[in-house]
Amino acid sequence: DTAVSQTPKYLVTQMGNDKSIKCEQNLGHDTMYWYKQDSKKFLKIMFSYNNKELIINETVPNRFSPKSPDKAHLNLHINSLELGDSAVYFCASSPGPGIGSPLHFGNGTRLTVT
Amino acid sequence: GENVEQHPSTLSVQEGDSAVIKCTYSDSASNYFPWYKQELGKGPQLIIDIRSNVGEKKDQRIAVTLNKTAKHFSLHITETQPEDSAVYFCAAQYSSASKIIFGSGTRLSIRP
């Protein structure tokens, strides 16, 4: 069983479209995250939710909207996609938001905007 | 601001030799330092971590050292094997925000 699973694995779409990426974790963790990895492999945190509440919201365009229906799911919706949104998006979870809580990553969603 | 610098960006070593990756962090309040390994097409995976009250930690061929005064920490891989080839990320967790900030990654290649 995959601990953190994201769908889809690949997403190719045109500029201006709206798309969603889904994430689910079966580890019983309280905290979930979205990270963006650009073409140079740089990993940058976007959002974090703890028990369905937003606790970290980095400087991300408001075209990106996370939603957490329950603590096992964290979805990412992106409106009006732009070329610069092309990247690999990783979902992750951790036992809690506190210090020393290791991240468990999914295998990523490669988003290509044409 | 919150920053983690990582060097080198690429590293090639002969199989059986050791590899060392170094990182520095900017916030002296940081107290948790994990290391992640990312293989092609997969998400980063935690391989070892160290907390600020410990200077060194070892797990088989992998060891991490921490110098809080200098704000440096390093990953040491001994007796490297082909399966060690991957991208390695250091990270630091800033207690003020509880978020984990990653270094820019090191692509490690093991030459047969």
Side-chain angles (χ1 to χ4, degrees):
Chain A
D1 286 343
T2 305
V4 180
S5 58
Q6 343 179 181
T7 55
K9 187 171 176 63
Y10 300 98
L11 187 51
V12 181
T13 188
Q14 292 184 327
M15 285 175 55
N17 284 349
D18 303 339
K19 290 294 178 185
S20 291
I21 306 171
K22 295 186 175 182
C23 180
E24 175 182 4
Q25 56 96 2
N26 62 5
L27 295 167
H29 288 169
D30 285 343
T31 312
M32 296 185 73
Y33 309 78
W34 279 110
Y35 275 81
K36 179 181 180 180
Q37 186 172 49
D38 63 22
S39 58
K40 295 185 178 180
K41 293 290 187 182
F42 190 67
L43 271 166
K44 185 172 169 56
I45 189 169
M46 301 173 68
F47 302 103
S48 176
Y49 273 73
N50 185 56
N51 268 323
K52 302 191 297 178
E53 286 192 25
L54 182 67
I55 57 171
I56 294 174
N57 186 355
E58 288 296 283
T59 309
V60 178
N62 57 16
R63 298 181 294 104
F64 290 78
S65 54
K67 281 188 173 54
S68 182
D70 55 62
K71 72 173 192 177
H73 295 84
L74 180 61
N75 304 322
L76 183 65
H77 188 75
I78 315 170
N79 289 327
S80 303
L81 278 155
E82 300 177 357
L83 291 176
D85 297 332
S86 295
V88 181
Y89 292 84
F90 285 99
C91 177
S93 71
S94 67
I99 297 295
S101 214
L103 299 174
H104 297 252
F105 284 89
N107 283 329
T109 295
R110 182 175 294 277
L111 171 64
T112 304
V113 182
T114 62
Chain B
E2 304 150 348
N3 191 38
V4 177
E5 292 191 4
Q6 181 171 349
H7 301 280
S9 57
T10 60
L11 180 60
S12 178
V13 301
Q14 193 76 33
E15 183 177 349
D17 288 350
S18 296
V20 180
I21 302 170
K22 298 183 179 183
C23 290
T24 60
Y25 59 97
S26 58
D27 186 351
S28 56
S30 299
N31 50 20
Y32 175 63
F33 306 91
W35 286 87
Y36 287 82
K37 175 183 181 182
Q38 185 177 22
E39 296 177 332
L40 195 62
K42 295 187 176 180
Q45 184 176 16
L46 179 73
I47 54 172
I48 194 167
D49 56 13
I50 190 168
R51 296 166 197 267
S52 59
N53 58 348
V54 175
E56 184 174 354
K57 184 176 178 181
K58 190 173 181 180
D59 182 4
Q60 299 183 336
R61 296 185 297 108
I62 294 174
V64 58
T65 58
L66 172 64
N67 181 332
K68 281 216 74 178
T69 304
K71 292 190 269 187
H72 291 173
F73 57 116
S74 300
L75 178 72
H76 304 252
I77 306 174
T78 58
E79 301 173 21
T80 52
Q81 299 170 5
E83 54 265 35
D84 294 331
S85 293
V87 178
Y88 290 80
F89 292 94
C90 63
Q93 189 168 24
Y94 290 79
S95 56
S96 59
S98 294
K99 58 184 173 182
I100 293 179
I101 305 296
F102 285 81
S104 53
T106 296
R107 186 176 296 278
L108 175 63
S109 301
I110 307 301
R111 303 191 304 271

